Amino acid sequence: MADTKALYQEVILDHNRKPRNYGRLDHPSHKAEGHNPLCGDHLALALDLQGERIAGIAFEGESCAICKASASMMTATVKGKTREDAETLIREFREMATGELDCGSYPHHLGRLTVFAGVRDLPTRVKCAILPWHTLRAAIHSQASTSTESEADPMHAPIGDA
Amino acid sequence: MTASPSPRRLAPAPALDVERIRADFPILRLKVGGKPLVYLDNAASSQMPQQVIDRLLRYQTSQHANIHRAVHMLSEIATAEYEEARRKIARFVNAREDREVIFTSGTTEAINLVMHGYGRKFLGAGDEIILTTLEHHSNIVPWQMLCEEKGARIRVVPINDAGELLIDEYEKLFNERTKFVGVMQVSNALGTVNPVKSMIAFAHARGVPVLIDGAQAAPHMNIDVQDLDCDFYALSGHKLCGPTGIGILYGKAALLERMQPFKGGGDMILSVSFEKTVYNTVPQKFEAGTPPIAAAIGLGAAIDYLSEIGMGAIAAHENALLDYATAQLERMPGVCIIGTAADKAAVLSFALQGVHPHDAGTLLNQEGVAVRTGHHCAQPVMQRFRIPATSRASFAFYNSMAEVDALVAGIRTVQKVFA
C-alpha cells in the first residue's frame, strides 16, 4: 500500500499553493510544452540558457498538485546549474519516480526532491511527477513539444494508462 | 446476514436488504490500506457476486468444450449452456427472438459491429450520422472511422449546462441526408438519462435507424428494446456483475439479416470453398471464431442474479443513494456537482475547488474510497464544461448509505489537506 500521506507532505502542498518560478520569461532561449493527454495536465516551460548554464527558468500551466509541485521544485533546483547537472537530475528523478533508484542506498543529487519518492507506489501518478522533467529535457534539446504518451520519448515511463 | 433461505425467491420485497446482498460479494470484504473498501467506481466496472463466480467455476470444472462443433457430450452441454445464456439475455432486454442477441466482447465491439456491418454497407458520401455531445469515445470514434472511409459526416446534438440534450436541436439536425443516429441512454460521465424513446420515434418517423449505447443504462433500469423500438442496443457484461470480455448487440432481426458480417472465420459460415463462401444465419453470421463461452454463461448467471433481486428494486435503491449523496454534496462548500439533469442514474460527477481530480482520487483512495477520476472517455463532455477531468462516484445496488457517508468524510479529508 502506498503511503500517500507521505506523498502529500507540506513541502509539496506548499509548492502547489505558491509555485516558484511560475510565469514566463521575457526572452527565453529554449521552450517546450508538456502534456499528459490522459489526465489533462499541461505545462509550458521556458529556459534562458547562457552557454552551459541555466540562467533563468519559468513554467506555467494547469495540472494536479503533484505535477505543479514537481515543476516548482524542479525549477528552483536547476536554476543556476549547468545543462549537464540538469541532465543528471532528470535521470535521477525519473529513476526515483519509477522505483529504479533506491534513494536510501545509492548516492544521488536529488536532495529535497526525494519527497516525490512515494509516487513509485502509485503507477497512475508517476507521470504527473515526471512530466515537468520530461518537459525540461525537451526544452534543453529544443523540442517544440512533448507528451507522456510519445512512444519514442526516452522519458516514457513503463506504466499503464492513467 | 440471516441464515434463512432467500425470501427473494418467494416474494420480492420492495426494498433491498443491502447487508444481505453485500454478503454475496466477496470483494466487498477487502480492506484498502487498513480501511474497508468503499467501491464507488461501478460505472467503470461492477463487482461479481459469489453466484456468478460459482457458475464460472462449475462451467470450467465440468462443462467446458468448444461449441457448435463436436457431437460429444461436453460440446453439447457447452453449446446448450451458451445458447441458454443468449436466451436469458434476450428475455432481459425483451427481444422478440433469441437470435436478435449477438455476443460481442462488450459495448465497444457491439458498436463497431454496427459500424462495419450496417454503416459500411448502407452509408455513403455526404450521408449524416447524428451523435450527441454526451457520447463515450466508443460511440464517436467508430463513426469517425466510417466518415473517413466513406466521406460521411457527423452532426452533434448539444447539451445545456445541466448536461441534458437539447432535443429541439436534435430535431433540427435531421435532413434528407440523415442516415443514422447513435445515442447513449445514460451518460457515463454525468449520469444524465436521455429521452431515447421519443428520440427513436422522431428518427423513425424520418426513416432513420437508431443505435442505443446501453452500457450505463442496463445496470440501472429495466431495458425493453421492443418498447423503445430501437434498432440496435449495445451493453457490456462487466457492468452487470458479469465477467469482462462479454457483451451483446441486440439488433432487429430484419436489419441483422441485411447486414454484412463484421469478422470472418469459423462458425460464421455455412460452407467454404475458394470459389464461394456462404455465410451462416443470424446470429452466428456475426460470431466468428470461438467466443468467450465461459464469460457468456457467466453473464447469463449475472442476469439471473439481477433478475432475482429485480431491476425495479435495484433502480429504487440506487436512486435513493444518488439523492442522498447529491443532497450531501450540495451542502458542502467548495464542492460543485457536474451534471444536474432532472433525470439522472446513479452517477455523481463533481469538482472540488482548488483540488485537481487526480489529487482528490489519490487521497480518497487513502480513505478506502474508490472513485474514478479523469475524463471518463468523454472528452467532448469535459470540453463542454471547460474542465480537464472530474471525480466520479458511481453507485451500484450493493452500495450502502454508510458508504455515501464515507465518501463525504473522504471529501472533507481531501479539502483539509488542500486547505
Side-chain angles (χ1 to χ4, degrees):
Chain A
M1 180 55 208
D3 189 355
T4 42
K5 272 202 182 91
L7 181 57
Y8 286 89
Q9 287 173 46
E10 191 48 43
V11 57
I12 288 182
L13 294 170
D14 178 64
H15 275 267
N16 175 55
R17 265 191 300 268
K18 294 173 288 185
R20 322 298 195 259
N21 303 304
Y22 193 84
R24 297 175 188 192
L25 293 183
D26 287 337
H27 302 289
S29 61
H30 294 67
K31 289 196 293 189
E33 290 197 23
H35 186 47
N36 181 350
L38 297 176
C39 65
D41 282 352
H42 176 266
L43 66 93
L45 188 75
L47 288 181
D48 179 15
L49 259 177
Q50 293 185 359
E52 284 300 302
R53 206 172 63 85
I54 300 171
I57 182 166
F59 82 100
E60 59 183 356
E62 289 295 321
S63 66
C64 65
I66 301 300
C67 182
K68 190 174 277 181
S70 177
S72 172
M73 292 178 71
M74 175 187 81
T75 56
T77 306
V78 302
K79 200 172 185 174
K81 292 205 164 60
T82 65
R83 186 203 293 248
E84 195 185 340
D85 290 340
E87 295 272 16
T88 301
L89 286 163
I90 291 166
R91 193 186 69 246
E92 290 180 353
F93 190 91
R94 183 180 59 77
E95 289 176 356
M96 171 184 70
T98 55
E100 292 165 55
L101 172 70
D102 180 356
C103 297
S105 313
Y106 294 93
H108 59 82
H109 308 84
L110 293 168
R112 286 207 312 164
L113 291 165
T114 54
V115 293
F116 289 98
V119 293
R120 72 179 58 178
D121 298 319
L122 299 167
T124 53
R125 306 303 304 279
V126 170
K127 289 179 182 181
C128 307
I130 288 182
L131 182 65
W133 298 85
H134 209 109
T135 313
L136 173 60
R137 191 172 202 278
I140 288 173
H141 293 269
S142 289
Q143 291 167 10
S145 73
T146 185
S147 163
T148 54
E149 299 315 294
S150 161
E151 288 290 331
D153 197 302
M155 295 290 283
H156 186 70
I159 56 171
D161 275 8
Chain B
M1 184 186 170
T2 59
S4 60
S6 169
R8 294 197 302 266
R9 272 181 212 284
L10 304 170
L16 293 186
D17 182 349
V18 179
E19 284 317 306
R20 190 192 172 82
I21 284 170
R22 290 180 67 79
D24 289 338
F25 291 80
I27 206 165
L28 298 180
R29 287 169 224 148
L30 274 186
K31 294 227 188 303
V32 176
K35 304 204 172 162
L37 167 67
V38 176
Y39 187 76
L40 301 179
D41 195 16
N42 296 286
S45 199
S46 54
Q47 299 298 348
M48 189 183 280
Q50 191 65 50
Q51 288 85 337
V52 177
I53 297 169
D54 288 346
R55 184 66 190 88
L56 291 171
L57 192 64
R58 183 157 71 88
Y59 170 75
Q60 217 66 64
T61 49
S62 64
Q63 297 181 318
H64 172 67
N66 213 332
I67 55 164
H68 300 146
R69 283 164 173 81
V71 295
H72 59 75
M73 181 194 77
L74 282 178
S75 181
E76 283 178 352
I77 291 175
T79 303
E81 294 295 333
Y82 180 76
E83 292 303 328
E84 177 61 22
R86 191 192 308 277
R87 224 174 340 268
K88 285 173 182 174
I89 295 155
R91 276 199 300 271
F92 184 69
V93 300
N94 195 31
R96 264 174 222 89
E97 304 174 58
D98 297 344
R99 67 189 180 115
E100 292 179 317
V101 170
I102 296 157
F103 282 117
T104 65
S105 67
T107 301
T108 297
E109 193 184 63
I111 295 170
N112 276 274
L113 192 163
V114 176
M115 185 278 268
H116 283 273
Y118 184 90
R120 292 182 74 197
K121 185 163 180 189
F122 296 112
L123 269 70
D127 287 346
E128 295 185 0
I129 299 161
I130 296 178
L131 305 175
T132 84
T133 303
L134 293 173
E135 297 314 303
H136 188 282
H137 296 165
S138 62
N139 201 23
I140 299 174
V141 181
W143 304 111
Q144 288 175 326
M145 293 163 77
L146 181 71
C147 288
E148 202 168 311
E149 177 186 326
K150 297 286 184 182
R153 180 172 172 226
I154 291 170
R155 309 292 305 273
V156 183
V157 185
I159 55 174
N160 62 21
D161 289 340
E164 297 165 317
L165 294 180
L166 299 176
I167 298 301
D168 288 354
E169 299 298 318
Y170 165 69
E171 296 181 354
K172 277 189 225 157
L173 289 177
F174 280 84
N175 59 47
E176 67 285 356
R177 295 180 300 276
T178 308
K179 292 289 156 60
F180 199 82
V181 173
V183 55
M184 58 176 18
Q185 190 169 6
V186 171
S187 159
N188 67 310
L190 304 179
T192 311
V193 180
N194 293 321
V196 291
K197 188 174 172 181
S198 57
M199 293 172 78
I200 292 164
F202 189 88
H204 282 180
R206 283 141 194 88
V208 179
V210 182
L211 161 82
I212 302 298
D213 169 356
Q216 294 296 337
H220 304 299
M221 56 187 69
N222 253 320
I223 303 303
D224 185 335
V225 292
Q226 292 190 63
D227 179 57
L228 290 176
D229 198 28
C230 55
D231 301 278
F232 301 103
Y233 196 98
L235 60 83
S236 292
H238 71 97
K239 295 189 202 288
L240 283 166
C241 301
T244 54
I246 191 76
I248 65 125
L249 173 71
Y250 156 83
K252 284 180 178 168
L255 276 172
L256 293 175
E257 277 170 3
R258 288 166 57 213
M259 284 159 61
Q260 61 190 18
F262 168 33
K263 297 185 289 189
D267 229 27
M268 57 78 72
I269 49 83
L270 286 178
S271 68
V272 174
S273 72
F274 282 103
E275 288 68 43
K276 182 170 174 59
T277 287
V278 180
Y279 298 136
N280 207 334
T281 51
V282 173
Q284 275 76 32
K285 180 167 87 172
F286 298 106
E287 294 181 4
T290 299
I293 306 165
I297 291 168
L299 176 55
I303 279 171
D304 283 344
Y305 181 82
L306 295 174
S307 302
E308 198 178 310
I309 297 169
M311 293 310 292
I314 285 172
H317 178 68
E318 290 174 348
N319 288 340
L321 287 168
L322 179 68
D323 288 348
Y324 180 57
T326 303
Q328 299 272 350
L329 263 61
E330 273 175 347
R331 275 206 296 273
M332 297 177 79
V335 180
C336 177
I337 295 174
I338 313 285
T340 49
D343 195 1
K344 273 180 75 170
V347 170
L348 192 56
S349 253
F350 57 93
L352 303 180
Q353 202 180 347
V355 187
H356 191 280
H358 280 88
D359 297 315
T362 298
L363 285 161
L364 284 170
N365 178 62
Q366 182 182 310
E367 302 300 310
V369 180
V371 298
R372 169 81 192 270
T373 56
H375 53 59
H376 317 297
C377 297
Q379 288 182 343
V381 178
M382 301 296 120
Q383 287 152 14
R384 170 62 175 74
F385 287 99
R386 293 192 183 82
I387 47 177
T390 73
S391 302
R392 179 189 69 185
S394 52
F395 306 104
F397 57 95
Y398 45 70
N399 287 127
S400 65
M401 296 294 173
E403 290 183 307
V404 174
D405 293 337
L407 169 69
V408 170
I411 292 172
R412 287 215 178 90
T413 303
V414 174
Q415 290 180 319
K416 221 175 287 169
V417 169
F418 279 87

